[in-house]
Amino acid sequence: MNVGILTIKCPDKPGIVALISNWVTTQEGNIIQLNQYSSDANNGTFFTRLKINFLNNTAPFKQRQHDFMPISKQLNAIWNLHDATKKQNIGILVSKYDHCLFELLYRWSSHELNINIPFIASNHKNGEKLAKQFSIPFYYLPITNKQNQEKQLLELAKNSDLLVLARYMQILSPEFIKQYKKNIINIHHSFLPSFVGANPYNQAYERGVKMIGATAHYVTEKLDEGPIITQKIEPVSHEDHIPELKRKGKHLEKLVLLNALHAEIDHRIISFQNKTIVFT
Amino acid sequence: MNVGILTIKCPDKPGIVALISNWVTTQEGNIIQLNQYSSDANNGTFFTRLKINFLNNTAPFKQRQHDFMPISKQLNAIWNLHDATKKQNIGILVSKYDHCLFELLYRWSSHELNINIPFIASNHKNGEKLAKQFSIPFYYLPITNKQNQEKQLLELAKNSDLLVLARYMQILSPEFIKQYKKNIINIHHSFLPSFVGANPYNQAYERGVKMIGATAHYVTEKLDEGPIITQKIEPVSHEDHIPELKRKGKHLEKLVLLNALHAEIDHRIISFQNKTIVFT
Amino acid sequence: MNVGILTIKCPDKPGIVALISNWVTTQEGNIIQLNQYSSDANNGTFFTRLKINFLNNTAPFKQRQHDFMPISKQLNAIWNLHDATKKQNIGILVSKYDHCLFELLYRWSSHELNINIPFIASNHKNGEKLAKQFSIPFYYLPITNKQNQEKQLLELAKNSDLLVLARYMQILSPEFIKQYKKNIINIHHSFLPSFVGANPYNQAYERGVKMIGATAHYVTEKLDEGPIITQKIEPVSHEDHIPELKRKGKHLEKLVLLNALHAEIDHRIISFQNKTIVFT
Amino acid sequence: MNVGILTIKCPDKPGIVALISNWVTTQEGNIIQLNQYSSDANNGTFFTRLKINFLNNTAPFKQRQHDFMPISKQLNAIWNLHDATKKQNIGILVSKYDHCLFELLYRWSSHELNINIPFIASNHKNGEKLAKQFSIPFYYLPITNKQNQEKQLLELAKNSDLLVLARYMQILSPEFIKQYKKNIINIHHSFLPSFVGANPYNQAYERGVKMIGATAHYVTEKLDEGPIITQKIEPVSHEDHIPELKRKGKHLEKLVLLNALHAEIDHRIISFQNKTIVFT
């Protein structure tokens, strides 16, 4: 099999789909999934995702990417052509709470998450035992000097395709985010934009909300303000004090993280103006 | 504006999207939405829905439909090209309970449901007052002789594009369904396939379920077994006896009906093997 | 039938339930529902709600209330004994959007909401026709001088037991709230504390959330910061622009309002430290 | 601390709460939680659950249970007085799928599930490694002779307070259920009563439902027909084939199992006429 995923963001105009699908034909490809979205009927931005089965197995992806360049120029597009059969390298950052880490490792080990996990890094030693159980390299990077710690992290992450903050309770510096360049997914344990920052379950308890939530979002320089990928909620009552909120919230956190990660590794997400288009 | 919606169901093979999108180009059309789905990667059935903005306003839809015929033959397709700006005529059938009728009329009168309602028919007189309030013709068709009643109904419905059973508590005969030919949407007040037939809230109460549901589905000859379009649920507890289930269920019924109807009038639903593809 | 609802808030200590239930026995009462909650195991506040069937029909409620006073003093309680068979007078305030008003009137007219609606008041004329259809006095109180308008409102509301802001888009002044004294329920069309203030659906769209919500809460002097009674959410996607958010949100608004109102008229809600205990 | 949970089921009549709460007073107890429910206002069955803090720590529970007997006779009650501080022994049965087992072990090891797990038994060897990781005795009991296997199971389970079928894909015989006597909780991977029996996700896919569910229920002699404890659902679409349904369903299965188990070990569930009262 030789399956590729083509994602495109470009100014909208008539004829884009014809242009792209004709190119697919010249590549002996069969479109097996196609989504598109236009931000506005007039002068909007056009987004598309195509899953293509290339019948001619022999051509390498680099060649196909090269072949697409004239089309992309015609469209003035930001685009990507991913090899869908290639597993992505996803580094995991974690602190004390390990339920999200656990879920990722369990889903990975049961072949549901088709990824490589090159490393787990943490500012605490808690996750080490778990990492060993699953035979994944664990790096203990305590924060004595934040700048140094992030330098080590960056070195560690340099070959990864994505970072997942699986309840990593540290704020990554703008420098780190700028230098890492690739996507970073965080789970915030509230229904954003409610309860940004520290201790959202405590904040939720204080406000007396009747539902708690969790949010997966891309990390940007502004804390908890990056584009939202997915959100889930669970009803609670006055009987639920902070420990119950935390217990019930764990499910949500795991669920939003998994959903976001599946969308990400399938290249279903395109960012636009601090929001996400998530093709389903 | 000259907007059309093209829906296609055909055997899957490479090049379909290119074929269709090139045709759109020849029609001076701009694809503003496109969904597709393939039931199977190998020898599956291909489904697509395109929303097209035709820049050349002058060509009539009949002409465009005629122009598409060679393509449809090439694809061996079941297809339709709808004029998206044309309001559909949707007849409503109702019995005693009028909450769904109420919702439809309210949404229609507040310009959220962009449809015509040529008639409301009922085997009870209850809805008459409501119909009058909204100035819609009401037909009281009591069931003394079912065959005759359905004949009257068929006559009434002959120019409609769709029938909605907004809690119509009668079973339409296979003959009626066959002769009406067009789609009929029913709301069943349970989470199908649980609790088919009469009194689903009583059945739900007897079984002691912890959630109740509602289902919008197409009517087929087999009672409550047609393709499901949309479903919703609501948690309940041991405190909820039959009247509470009914009260809580009303919200679900209205919600699934509205969601199904919006999908239907946007031509987002394609039936296949007693299931639905619902493009979102 | 002679059914009463006794609600009590008092410092927690051993023996409260025995004290109260013995009193119920002396009143020839049968407890048919009992909820209780303690805010803290040590030195917390105790909350209870009892639904009592008084077998001796002849005693008037005033007498029973008088009889309970020694118990309430012993408990240092804030309490109430309501006649459950007496319909409450609930005034409705509304502005331009009438979907919540519609829902209330429909549920009231179909005997699901066991209340009196002495008046509908609005700063717009929109609701007048609807009020007439249901034969409820409508008062058009435009806001030329806010102080005067609120004086009229207060006069109108003086015999009501509760005010419902069914999408009343005006902020009631602290003076009004102080003078009205009784409860005021508002629906805010967002998942509070997200998106307080004006145009929450626009705010939600701008932030790119993947779920929208609605919140019913008591009105206090601080805008949208009163105790939350009930909340509901609905998933949305990038396809949902502001009009779709508004359309989908209407369901939520109606649902949270109805749920809150049912809890309120059953005296299931007790406020405490800007939160609510809602007995279910 | 000396905390007990008293659950009572008896014919309803006036004065029950007074009777019980006076008894609590004689035991120097403080009621810290109280729920009650009556199945019917006239001649119904009365259910209650009291969480009691006994201030006099020295009295043993056996003595208190003995002291309550006259009250229970007066009420003609089925009742229990549990020591809330005593961990229950919960045996786990599992087959090939280990996600529910995993969740239980993780929650147990992180001190969220306050139970003892005396054994894990399985008709497959899959769970053995996991059991070892958490240092819990694992018994491989393949089914060559079902009668013998159940005899071994019964011997193993004789000191347990509850059995959890964490995706145990075998049907326990009526004899086993009769002899075990105590509660057995099963998770069925559908929204019961839909899709009883084998392969519910396949059944759900075939029917084309738009939501999948999971149900925790007590095991009775009739397959998948025991009293339902808790249910959860998740929306799905035509894009979700059987593997996606299974993946999404895992979350539901874990969630309903955990919720049911928390209710069970807190003695919040009382069975009645093949339904459950679940006090929240």
Side-chain angles (χ1 to χ4, degrees):
Chain A
M1 281 269 287
N2 203 351
V3 178
I5 292 172
L6 178 63
T7 57
I8 293 170
K9 171 162 59 175
C10 67
D12 201 0
K13 63 173 183 183
I16 300 177
V17 176
L19 197 64
I20 298 168
S21 55
N22 287 330
W23 176 82
V24 172
T25 303
T26 65
Q27 295 278 321
E28 297 180 57
N30 186 18
I31 299 171
I32 50 180
Q33 279 182 0
L34 190 158
N35 301 92
Q36 77 161 47
Y37 172 69
S38 183
S39 66
D40 201 309
N42 303 307
N43 300 314
T45 300
F46 176 88
F47 306 83
T48 194
R49 172 189 178 271
L50 294 92
K51 194 170 182 177
I52 304 162
N53 191 2
F54 294 108
L55 306 177
N56 176 353
N57 280 344
T58 54
F61 262 85
K62 285 240 157 137
Q63 182 60 47
R64 296 195 199 281
Q65 285 165 340
H66 184 263
D67 292 349
F68 188 73
M69 286 192 51
I71 310 290
S72 79
K73 269 179 196 152
Q74 222 175 313
L75 295 173
N76 197 17
I78 295 168
W79 65 284
N80 237 311
L81 177 59
H82 307 272
D83 182 346
T85 58
K86 215 178 121 191
K87 282 187 195 183
Q88 291 166 65
N89 296 311
I90 297 178
I92 301 175
L93 272 60
V94 68
S95 292
K96 279 188 184 167
Y97 293 104
D98 61 4
H99 54 283
C100 287
L101 176 60
F102 220 78
E103 187 76 15
L104 291 178
L105 295 178
Y106 173 69
R107 297 278 180 158
W108 169 78
S109 71
S110 60
H111 307 292
E112 282 177 37
L113 260 181
N114 198 27
I115 60 175
N116 295 317
I117 304 177
F119 69 87
I120 297 164
S122 179
N123 57 328
H124 291 275
K125 285 195 167 167
N126 303 42
E128 187 158 23
K129 199 184 144 199
L130 205 54
K132 261 189 191 150
Q133 282 179 14
F134 290 90
S135 307
I136 291 178
F138 179 88
Y139 296 85
Y140 171 50
L141 303 177
I143 299 177
T144 40
N145 175 318
K146 183 153 180 164
Q147 219 179 324
N148 281 351
Q149 195 250 13
E150 288 200 340
K151 209 177 280 181
Q152 294 173 286
L153 213 51
L154 206 58
E155 177 61 24
L156 198 57
K158 72 180 171 196
N159 294 321
S160 65
D161 300 302
L162 177 81
L163 286 184
V164 168
L165 311 191
R167 295 294 303 272
Y168 181 63
M169 308 309 279
Q170 294 296 318
I171 299 168
L172 294 169
S173 71
E175 289 69 37
F176 181 92
I177 296 165
K178 210 174 290 170
Q179 287 173 28
Y180 179 62
K181 288 191 186 79
K182 282 160 278 182
N183 284 338
I184 306 171
I185 290 179
N186 183 42
I187 321 131
H188 186 70
H189 37 312
S190 83
F191 187 88
L192 285 177
S194 293
F195 314 131
V196 301
N199 300 319
Y201 291 125
N202 299 46
Q203 292 183 54
Y205 179 73
E206 286 311 316
R207 182 60 187 93
V209 290
K210 299 300 186 186
M211 285 181 164
I212 53 165
T215 304
H217 65 95
Y218 288 125
V219 173
T220 60
E221 297 187 11
K222 287 188 187 166
L223 181 64
D224 301 332
E225 296 195 8
I228 292 171
I229 302 167
T230 182
Q231 303 189 289
K232 283 275 172 185
I233 61 88
E234 179 82 10
V236 296
S237 83
H238 61 270
E239 297 265 4
D240 295 307
H241 289 226
I242 293 167
E244 285 79 31
L245 299 186
K246 286 183 177 171
R247 175 167 68 77
K248 293 186 172 183
K250 284 187 177 182
H251 260 294
L252 299 174
E253 297 168 30
K254 296 191 293 190
L255 190 51
V256 298
L257 176 54
L258 270 183
N259 287 355
L261 204 47
H262 274 284
E264 176 76 15
I265 64 179
D266 279 352
H267 307 289
R268 294 179 173 277
I269 315 173
I270 304 180
S271 292
F272 178 61
Q273 292 177 342
N274 209 41
K275 300 186 202 180
T276 58
I277 285 93
V278 183
F279 291 124
T280 51
Chain B
M1 281 269 287
N2 203 352
V3 178
I5 292 172
L6 177 64
T7 57
I8 293 170
K9 171 162 59 175
C10 66
D12 200 359
K13 63 175 185 182
I16 300 177
V17 176
L19 197 64
I20 298 168
S21 54
N22 287 330
W23 176 80
V24 172
T25 302
T26 66
Q27 296 276 322
E28 297 179 58
N30 186 18
I31 299 171
I32 50 180
Q33 279 182 359
L34 189 156
N35 301 91
Q36 76 162 47
Y37 172 68
S38 183
S39 66
D40 201 310
N42 303 308
N43 300 314
T45 300
F46 177 88
F47 305 84
T48 193
R49 171 188 178 273
L50 295 93
K51 193 169 183 177
I52 304 162
N53 193 1
F54 294 108
L55 306 177
N56 175 354
N57 280 344
T58 54
F61 262 84
K62 286 240 156 135
Q63 182 61 46
R64 297 193 197 282
Q65 285 164 341
H66 184 264
D67 293 349
F68 189 71
M69 285 193 52
I71 310 289
S72 80
K73 270 179 195 151
Q74 221 175 313
L75 296 173
N76 197 16
I78 295 168
W79 65 284
N80 237 311
L81 177 59
H82 306 271
D83 182 347
T85 57
K86 216 178 119 191
K87 282 188 195 183
Q88 291 167 64
N89 295 312
I90 297 179
I92 302 176
L93 272 58
V94 68
S95 293
K96 279 188 183 166
Y97 293 105
D98 60 5
H99 54 283
C100 287
L101 176 61
F102 221 78
E103 187 75 16
L104 291 178
L105 295 177
Y106 173 68
R107 298 277 181 160
W108 169 78
S109 71
S110 60
H111 307 292
E112 281 177 40
L113 262 180
N114 198 27
I115 60 175
N116 295 318
I117 304 177
F119 68 87
I120 298 163
S122 178
N123 56 328
H124 290 276
K125 286 195 167 167
N126 303 42
E128 187 158 22
K129 199 184 145 198
L130 206 54
K132 262 190 192 151
Q133 282 179 16
F134 289 90
S135 307
I136 291 177
F138 178 88
Y139 296 86
Y140 170 49
L141 303 177
I143 299 178
T144 40
N145 176 318
K146 183 153 181 163
Q147 220 179 325
N148 281 351
Q149 195 251 12
E150 289 198 340
K151 209 175 280 180
Q152 294 173 286
L153 213 51
L154 206 58
E155 177 61 23
L156 200 57
K158 73 180 172 198
N159 293 322
S160 65
D161 300 303
L162 177 81
L163 286 183
V164 167
L165 311 190
R167 295 295 302 273
Y168 181 62
M169 309 309 278
Q170 294 295 319
I171 298 168
L172 294 169
S173 71
E175 289 70 37
F176 181 92
I177 296 166
K178 209 173 292 170
Q179 287 173 29
Y180 179 63
K181 287 190 188 82
K182 283 159 279 181
N183 283 339
I184 306 172
I185 289 179
N186 184 41
I187 320 130
H188 187 71
H189 37 311
S190 83
F191 187 87
L192 286 177
S194 293
F195 313 131
V196 300
N199 299 320
Y201 291 126
N202 299 46
Q203 293 182 54
Y205 179 72
E206 286 310 317
R207 182 60 187 93
V209 290
K210 299 301 186 186
M211 284 180 164
I212 53 165
T215 303
H217 65 95
Y218 288 125
V219 173
T220 60
E221 297 188 11
K222 287 189 187 165
L223 182 64
D224 299 333
E225 295 195 7
I228 292 171
I229 301 168
T230 182
Q231 303 189 290
K232 282 275 173 184
I233 60 89
E234 179 83 9
V236 296
S237 83
H238 60 270
E239 298 264 6
D240 294 308
H241 290 227
I242 293 168
E244 284 80 30
L245 299 187
K246 286 183 177 172
R247 176 166 67 79
K248 292 185 172 183
K250 284 187 177 182
H251 260 293
L252 300 174
E253 297 168 30
K254 296 191 293 189
L255 190 50
V256 297
L257 176 54
L258 270 184
N259 288 355
L261 204 48
H262 274 285
E264 176 76 15
I265 63 179
D266 279 352
H267 308 288
R268 294 180 172 276
I269 315 173
I270 305 180
S271 291
F272 178 60
Q273 292 176 344
N274 209 41
K275 300 186 202 178
T276 58
I277 285 92
V278 183
F279 291 124
T280 51
Chain C
M1 281 269 287
N2 202 351
V3 178
I5 292 173
L6 178 63
T7 57
I8 294 170
K9 170 161 60 174
C10 66
D12 201 0
K13 63 172 185 184
I16 299 177
V17 176
L19 198 63
I20 297 168
S21 55
N22 287 330
W23 177 81
V24 172
T25 303
T26 65
Q27 296 277 320
E28 297 178 58
N30 185 18
I31 300 170
I32 51 180
Q33 279 183 358
L34 190 156
N35 302 92
Q36 76 161 51
Y37 172 68
S38 183
S39 66
D40 200 310
N42 303 308
N43 300 315
T45 299
F46 176 89
F47 305 85
T48 194
R49 172 188 178 273
L50 294 93
K51 193 170 183 178
I52 305 163
N53 192 0
F54 294 107
L55 305 178
N56 176 352
N57 281 344
T58 53
F61 262 83
K62 285 241 157 135
Q63 182 60 46
R64 296 193 200 283
Q65 285 165 341
H66 184 263
D67 293 348
F68 188 72
M69 287 193 51
I71 310 289
S72 80
K73 271 181 193 150
Q74 222 175 314
L75 295 174
N76 197 18
I78 295 168
W79 65 283
N80 236 311
L81 177 59
H82 306 271
D83 182 347
T85 57
K86 216 178 120 191
K87 283 188 195 182
Q88 290 167 64
N89 295 311
I90 297 179
I92 302 175
L93 272 59
V94 68
S95 291
K96 278 188 185 168
Y97 293 106
D98 61 5
H99 54 284
C100 288
L101 176 61
F102 220 78
E103 186 76 16
L104 291 177
L105 295 178
Y106 173 69
R107 298 278 180 158
W108 168 78
S109 72
S110 61
H111 307 292
E112 282 177 38
L113 260 181
N114 197 26
I115 59 174
N116 295 317
I117 304 177
F119 69 87
I120 298 165
S122 179
N123 57 328
H124 290 276
K125 285 194 168 170
N126 303 43
E128 187 159 22
K129 199 184 144 198
L130 206 53
K132 261 191 192 150
Q133 281 178 17
F134 290 90
S135 308
I136 291 177
F138 179 87
Y139 296 86
Y140 171 49
L141 303 177
I143 299 179
T144 40
N145 174 318
K146 183 154 181 163
Q147 218 179 325
N148 281 352
Q149 195 250 13
E150 289 200 340
K151 208 176 279 182
Q152 292 172 287
L153 212 51
L154 205 57
E155 177 61 24
L156 199 57
K158 72 179 172 196
N159 294 321
S160 64
D161 300 301
L162 177 81
L163 287 183
V164 168
L165 311 191
R167 296 295 304 271
Y168 182 64
M169 310 308 278
Q170 294 296 318
I171 298 168
L172 294 169
S173 71
E175 290 69 38
F176 181 93
I177 296 166
K178 208 174 292 170
Q179 287 173 27
Y180 179 63
K181 290 191 184 79
K182 282 160 278 181
N183 284 337
I184 306 171
I185 290 178
N186 184 41
I187 320 132
H188 187 70
H189 38 311
S190 84
F191 188 87
L192 286 177
S194 293
F195 314 131
V196 300
N199 300 320
Y201 291 126
N202 299 46
Q203 293 183 53
Y205 178 72
E206 285 311 316
R207 181 61 187 92
V209 289
K210 298 301 184 185
M211 284 181 164
I212 54 165
T215 304
H217 66 95
Y218 288 125
V219 173
T220 60
E221 298 188 12
K222 287 186 188 169
L223 182 64
D224 300 332
E225 295 195 8
I228 292 171
I229 302 167
T230 181
Q231 302 188 291
K232 283 274 172 187
I233 62 88
E234 179 82 10
V236 296
S237 83
H238 61 270
E239 297 264 6
D240 295 308
H241 289 225
I242 292 168
E244 284 80 29
L245 300 186
K246 286 183 177 172
R247 176 167 65 77
K248 293 186 172 183
K250 284 187 176 180
H251 261 293
L252 299 174
E253 297 169 29
K254 296 191 293 189
L255 191 50
V256 298
L257 176 54
L258 269 183
N259 287 355
L261 204 48
H262 274 284
E264 175 77 14
I265 64 179
D266 280 350
H267 307 288
R268 295 179 172 279
I269 315 173
I270 305 180
S271 291
F272 179 61
Q273 292 176 343
N274 209 42
K275 300 186 201 179
T276 59
I277 286 93
V278 183
F279 291 123
T280 52
Chain D
M1 281 271 285
N2 201 353
V3 178
I5 293 172
L6 178 63
T7 57
I8 293 170
K9 170 162 60 175
C10 66
D12 200 0
K13 64 175 185 181
I16 299 177
V17 176
L19 197 65
I20 297 168
S21 55
N22 287 331
W23 177 80
V24 172
T25 303
T26 66
Q27 296 277 320
E28 296 180 58
N30 186 17
I31 301 170
I32 50 181
Q33 279 183 358
L34 190 157
N35 301 93
Q36 77 161 48
Y37 172 67
S38 184
S39 66
D40 200 311
N42 303 308
N43 300 313
T45 300
F46 176 88
F47 306 84
T48 194
R49 172 188 178 273
L50 294 94
K51 193 169 183 178
I52 304 163
N53 192 359
F54 294 108
L55 306 177
N56 177 353
N57 281 344
T58 54
F61 262 83
K62 286 241 157 134
Q63 181 60 45
R64 297 193 198 282
Q65 285 165 341
H66 184 263
D67 293 348
F68 189 71
M69 286 192 52
I71 310 290
S72 79
K73 271 180 193 151
Q74 223 175 313
L75 295 174
N76 197 18
I78 295 169
W79 65 283
N80 237 312
L81 177 59
H82 307 271
D83 182 348
T85 58
K86 217 178 120 191
K87 282 188 195 183
Q88 290 167 65
N89 295 311
I90 297 179
I92 302 175
L93 272 59
V94 69
S95 292
K96 278 187 184 167
Y97 293 105
D98 62 3
H99 54 284
C100 287
L101 176 61
F102 221 77
E103 186 76 16
L104 291 177
L105 294 177
Y106 173 69
R107 297 278 181 159
W108 168 79
S109 71
S110 61
H111 308 292
E112 281 177 39
L113 261 181
N114 198 28
I115 60 174
N116 295 317
I117 304 177
F119 68 89
I120 297 164
S122 179
N123 56 329
H124 290 276
K125 285 194 168 169
N126 304 42
E128 188 159 21
K129 199 184 146 197
L130 205 54
K132 260 190 193 149
Q133 281 179 16
F134 290 90
S135 308
I136 290 177
F138 178 87
Y139 297 86
Y140 170 49
L141 302 177
I143 298 177
T144 41
N145 175 318
K146 184 154 180 164
Q147 218 179 327
N148 281 351
Q149 195 251 13
E150 288 200 341
K151 209 177 279 181
Q152 292 173 288
L153 213 51
L154 205 59
E155 178 61 25
L156 200 57
K158 73 180 172 197
N159 294 321
S160 66
D161 300 302
L162 177 81
L163 286 184
V164 168
L165 311 191
R167 295 294 304 270
Y168 181 62
M169 309 309 278
Q170 295 295 318
I171 298 169
L172 294 169
S173 72
E175 290 69 37
F176 181 93
I177 295 166
K178 209 173 289 168
Q179 287 172 28
Y180 178 63
K181 290 191 184 80
K182 282 160 277 181
N183 283 340
I184 305 171
I185 289 178
N186 183 42
I187 320 131
H188 187 71
H189 37 311
S190 84
F191 187 88
L192 285 178
S194 293
F195 313 132
V196 300
N199 299 321
Y201 291 126
N202 299 46
Q203 293 183 53
Y205 178 72
E206 286 311 317
R207 182 60 187 92
V209 289
K210 299 300 186 186
M211 284 179 165
I212 54 164
T215 304
H217 66 93
Y218 287 124
V219 173
T220 59
E221 298 187 11
K222 288 188 187 168
L223 182 65
D224 299 333
E225 296 195 6
I228 292 170
I229 302 167
T230 182
Q231 303 188 290
K232 282 275 173 185
I233 61 89
E234 179 83 9
V236 296
S237 84
H238 61 271
E239 297 264 7
D240 295 307
H241 289 226
I242 293 168
E244 285 80 30
L245 299 187
K246 286 183 177 171
R247 176 166 68 76
K248 293 186 171 182
K250 284 187 176 181
H251 260 294
L252 299 174
E253 297 168 31
K254 297 191 292 190
L255 190 51
V256 298
L257 176 54
L258 269 183
N259 286 356
L261 204 47
H262 274 284
E264 175 76 15
I265 65 179
D266 279 351
H267 307 288
R268 293 179 173 278
I269 315 172
I270 304 180
S271 291
F272 178 61
Q273 292 177 342
N274 208 42
K275 300 186 200 177
T276 58
I277 285 93
V278 184
F279 291 125
T280 52

